[in-house]
Amino acid sequence: MDGMTLLIASRRPRRIQAPADPGAARRVLRRQVARLEQELTELGCSAWPRTDLRGGVRSRGGARLLSLGELEELRDGLAGETARLRRALDERGEKEEQSRRLVEEMLLEPERYKWVRVANEDIGEPGCHHWHVRPRWGVLGMLMKWWRVRISSGCP
């Protein structure tokens, strides 16, 4: 807020009342759980091919009817896991974007990035080739400052 104070009206806080009907509360919670499960699934699919980023909550021990408290715990667990996976994907996306920019800069000015190597997995792509800045013609190229980006042909 940059040093500004926030004035709040002196009204009594509103209380959110739970539906009097437990069946209605159960339906609302089940809808929320279904939405969060769908969102978690979509985030997991968008993480492909990164297999280290997966989300989920622990099983409750088989099929059974959950109480309202257990449904609330499940909803809260799914919400937390969804937020965690979203943060992890955002962080990974930023790192991959930095690596893509690095590859572009390496291709434009290889002499500034001597001996730098970027793998395909660093940019979030499947496969095993990489970009490596190396001198052209070995030691002679190093002495003459002739640098180039060598792109590997793929897996050995």
Side-chain angles (χ1 to χ4, degrees):
M1 300 253 172
D2 299 329
M4 298 174 60
T5 58
L6 180 65
L7 299 175
I8 300 175
S10 60
R11 291 189 321 189
R12 293 175 58 197
R14 290 184 357 188
R15 289 182 174 254
I16 300 173
Q17 297 206 356
D21 179 21
R26 187 177 301 281
R27 282 190 295 277
V28 168
L29 284 170
R30 283 197 318 247
R31 265 185 266 147
Q32 291 173 353
V33 165
R35 182 183 55 78
L36 286 167
E37 285 177 339
Q38 178 68 31
E39 188 174 348
L40 191 60
T41 301
E42 290 170 359
L43 285 170
C45 290
S46 71
W48 189 87
R50 301 167 208 90
T51 57
D52 59 331
L53 294 177
R54 293 286 181 244
V57 293
R58 295 188 58 169
S59 172
R60 299 245 178 221
R64 62 191 177 99
L65 185 63
L66 299 177
S67 69
L68 285 176
E70 291 171 328
L71 276 171
E72 288 175 347
E73 288 176 19
L74 178 61
R75 178 201 56 200
D76 295 342
L78 284 169
E81 187 64 17
T82 302
R84 183 200 65 80
L85 187 57
R86 185 176 288 118
R87 275 191 312 275
L89 280 171
D90 288 344
E91 291 169 3
R92 178 67 65 89
E94 287 176 18
K95 289 178 184 175
E96 290 171 356
E97 185 60 33
Q98 289 172 355
S99 294
R100 284 187 201 102
R101 273 193 234 119
L102 178 61
V103 168
E104 290 175 7
E105 292 169 5
M106 285 168 41
L107 291 169
L108 291 173
E109 299 179 80
E111 61 278 352
R112 287 185 55 211
Y113 300 95
K114 298 173 184 170
W115 304 109
V116 174
R117 182 177 175 159
V118 178
N120 221 20
E121 66 185 28
D122 295 338
I123 64 169
E125 297 290 329
C128 54
H129 71 273
H130 59 270
W131 295 264
H132 192 185
V133 178
R134 303 176 63 171
R136 186 181 311 261
W137 297 329
V139 176
L140 177 63
M142 277 181 21
L143 295 173
M144 299 298 292
K145 299 181 183 176
W146 294 336
W147 293 88
R148 67 176 175 171
V149 177
R150 176 94 181 193
I151 303 173
S152 74
S153 61
C155 299

